[in-house]
Amino acid sequence: MRLSPGDLSIQLPDVADGDTSAAVGRADEAFERWRTTPAAERVGCLKAAQGRISEQKEQLARGIALETGKPITEARGEVGAVVAKIDLAIADAKRHLADSTESDCTNPNVIRRRARGVAGVIGPFNFPVHLAHGAITAYLLAGNTVVFKPSPLAAGVCQAYGDLMRESFPPGVFEVVQGGAAVGQALVSHSAVRSVCFTGSVAAGKAIAGATADDLGKDVALELGGKNAAIVRDDADLDLAATAVAEAMCLTAGQRCNSTSRVLVDHTVEARFIDLLKQKLATFVPGDPLDDATRLGPVVTEAARRRYLDTIAQPLDWIVLGGAPEQVAGNKRGHYVLPAVARAEAERAVGLELFREEVFAPVALVVPTRSDAEAVKLANATDYGLTTSVFTPDRDRFLKLADALEAGNVYQNLATTFSPSTLPFGGWKSSGNGRPGGRGFVRFVTNEQVVQMKA
């Protein structure tokens, strides 16, 4: 039984496993027609979908809030990004999919991009529409067909999105198949699926990599987790840093792959920074995700809430005490939690699970540092490498630190969650293979073919 995480009195429809083989079969049958459809017509279909989605923005946002607990203001931002992504993807397609030639070759030649076939896209619950949609638009523009498997935690809103998309394309070009992990494994391992894009946990990403390892012609793009650090130096604007850390801890209740969960602060400013962080976190009060005033919604499931409770029960130096209120606005019961912050000296911190592993909740660990080199060493001391923020007004100092950081996205005086769709986004190490997110994904959705003619 599925319950709305923000109001446990609301029962959501159960999710039945879809017929993966049938969906892939329809997409495979439609591929040749779609591949040879002129690019202008493919763009026209995406623009038609954009119009339909735009007309339903509020309904989709409310669906996201109801099913995942994401505050409605964040959900509206997600749907707005979905609409805008289509224009960005069209611009990327014009840039990256155009034929080219090498002038210093003996023979006349063309370097061109060929669609691969059926693409399987598996989306997460935290950005149930937006993150999948970025890959979907790129695949479709390049002439691939798509089978989309949403998170079962956001099945309803993703089905509504899927229906709007499907109405805009010829039969079979875009398919939705619902279900859990078994359906996802069946999709990625299907022989007709030639590309896979997955956003989710490291464990699931490893399972997908294993399921596709024997098919060397199948392209796999993975966007996985993060254990992201905010590095606060002695010259930082501490109010700015505390604001950014609090927001990056609490947006989507800390359930973002780029949430801040470690703060590496210069020991000389630690006390002032912690005081400011406490003040900022006090403004994140749990509330009904459908209320415009809510900044901190619930975590998505009871299992997520239990994982959070297990984390804050650990014998650490808790400087901001967490907890799980049973009731919030309007006496609604849900999976609500409070922000929590622990502190540990560097020598102890590196051995803590809270330093190494994702919690996916508004929880962070503060570690005092005594040099830029120590901050970098600690930031890099995880298996993840997604985002890192550095708070210093000194651009040269920032660039030197950024060069030493093992992360795909490094920001100066910005939150770790600052990831605009207008830039590429991808992680290093166990955070993924650097390919799925943000601007330019269309580069990875085709096979390159080089054609030479005898002079």
Side-chain angles (χ1 to χ4, degrees):
M1 177 170 48
R2 291 199 306 147
L3 302 177
S4 176
D7 186 348
L8 299 181
S9 69
I10 298 176
Q11 185 171 339
L12 302 172
D14 290 330
V15 181
D17 287 355
D19 189 335
T20 306
S21 294
V24 173
R26 290 190 294 269
D28 192 33
E29 183 179 352
F31 169 63
E32 188 61 28
R33 297 193 310 274
W34 183 243
R35 181 185 75 81
T36 56
T37 297
E41 292 185 28
R42 298 202 295 264
V43 167
C45 291
L46 259 297
K47 294 296 287 184
Q50 184 182 48
R52 289 186 169 95
I53 293 168
S54 186
E55 290 173 357
Q56 299 295 317
K57 283 193 295 187
E58 184 64 16
Q59 292 89 332
L60 291 170
R62 291 185 68 82
I64 292 169
L66 183 69
E67 288 194 271
T68 72
K70 177 179 285 190
I72 187 66
T73 53
E74 288 187 47
R76 289 180 183 130
E78 175 175 348
V79 180
V82 168
V83 173
K85 175 68 78 173
I86 289 176
D87 290 327
L88 294 173
I90 290 170
D92 279 353
K94 290 178 181 177
R95 175 183 177 189
H96 294 293
L97 299 183
D99 291 352
S100 62
T101 187
E102 290 293 345
S103 59
D104 58 355
C105 181
T106 303
N107 296 320
N109 61 87
V110 178
I111 303 168
R112 62 187 186 184
R113 299 286 175 173
R114 298 289 299 274
R116 291 196 183 99
V118 181
V121 177
I122 301 179
F125 77 85
N126 55 350
F127 283 85
V129 180
H130 174 54
L131 289 181
H133 175 77
I136 287 165
T137 54
Y139 283 125
L140 292 172
L141 281 168
N144 303 283
T145 55
V146 171
V147 178
F148 171 37
K149 193 208 81 67
S151 166
L153 300 177
V157 68
C158 288
Q159 189 65 55
Y161 158 81
D163 291 343
L164 295 171
M165 288 286 287
R166 193 162 42 215
E167 292 170 7
S168 307
F169 294 90
V173 170
F174 181 80
E175 295 283 332
V176 178
V177 60
Q178 300 278 6
V183 172
Q185 285 293 96
L187 176 61
V188 301
S189 59
H190 197 291
S191 60
V193 172
R194 306 317 306 148
S195 296
V196 172
C197 183
F198 169 77
T199 305
S201 71
V202 172
K206 288 181 177 179
I208 288 171
T212 58
D214 289 338
D215 190 343
L216 298 180
K218 184 175 295 190
D219 184 77
V220 179
L222 301 172
E223 183 182 336
L224 308 177
K227 193 64 185 174
N228 311 295
I231 298 175
V232 183
R233 306 319 301 141
D234 56 341
D235 58 353
D237 180 331
L238 296 182
D239 190 77
L240 172 67
T243 298
V245 168
E247 290 181 351
M249 281 180 61
C250 295
L251 287 172
T252 322
Q255 298 169 121
R256 294 189 180 194
C257 59
N258 55 5
S259 294
T260 296
S261 56
R262 297 180 298 151
V263 185
L264 311 175
V265 59
D266 188 276
H267 71 107
T268 63
V269 298
E270 179 192 3
R272 282 184 290 151
F273 172 80
I274 287 175
D275 285 343
L276 287 167
L277 180 60
K278 289 179 179 178
Q279 295 173 29
K280 306 299 182 182
L281 288 175
T283 67
F284 285 89
V285 179
D288 180 359
L290 291 170
D291 186 337
D292 283 0
T294 295
R295 300 180 71 199
L296 178 61
V299 291
V300 69
T301 61
E302 176 61 19
R305 181 174 171 272
R306 284 289 164 197
R307 184 169 61 247
Y308 162 86
L309 290 172
D310 288 345
T311 299
I312 66 171
Q314 294 175 18
L316 300 173
D317 179 12
W318 292 100
I319 57 178
V320 176
L321 296 176
E326 288 297 324
Q327 295 182 331
V328 292
N331 291 326
K332 291 182 178 178
R333 294 182 58 249
H335 303 309
Y336 294 99
V337 299
L338 293 167
V341 181
R343 180 194 181 277
E345 293 291 339
E347 295 78 8
R348 184 187 182 203
V350 293
L352 296 174
E353 183 179 343
L354 184 55
F355 184 89
R356 301 189 313 271
E357 299 298 332
E358 281 189 301
V359 180
F360 240 47
V363 183
L365 178 67
V366 171
V367 182
T369 62
R370 284 165 172 74
S371 68
D372 285 3
E374 183 183 31
V376 168
K377 182 178 179 181
L378 288 169
N380 291 341
T382 75
D383 291 334
Y384 298 98
L386 190 57
T387 64
T388 304
S389 294
V390 180
F391 291 89
T392 173
D394 187 330
R395 183 63 58 87
D396 290 338
R397 186 181 192 183
F398 164 72
L399 292 173
K400 183 178 179 180
L401 286 163
D403 188 59
L405 289 166
E406 297 170 354
N409 309 270
V410 184
Y411 311 121
Q412 182 186 18
N413 298 328
L414 296 165
T416 59
T417 49
F418 188 82
S419 305
S421 295
T422 50
L423 287 174
F425 181 81
W428 297 1
K429 301 193 286 187
S430 291
S431 290
N433 56 7
R435 305 177 75 172
R439 196 71 182 266
F441 179 74
V442 75
R443 292 171 295 167
F444 307 120
V445 301
T446 58
N447 289 323
E448 184 178 81
Q449 184 180 63
V450 179
V451 179
Q452 292 189 69
M453 289 71 73
K454 184 172 176 60

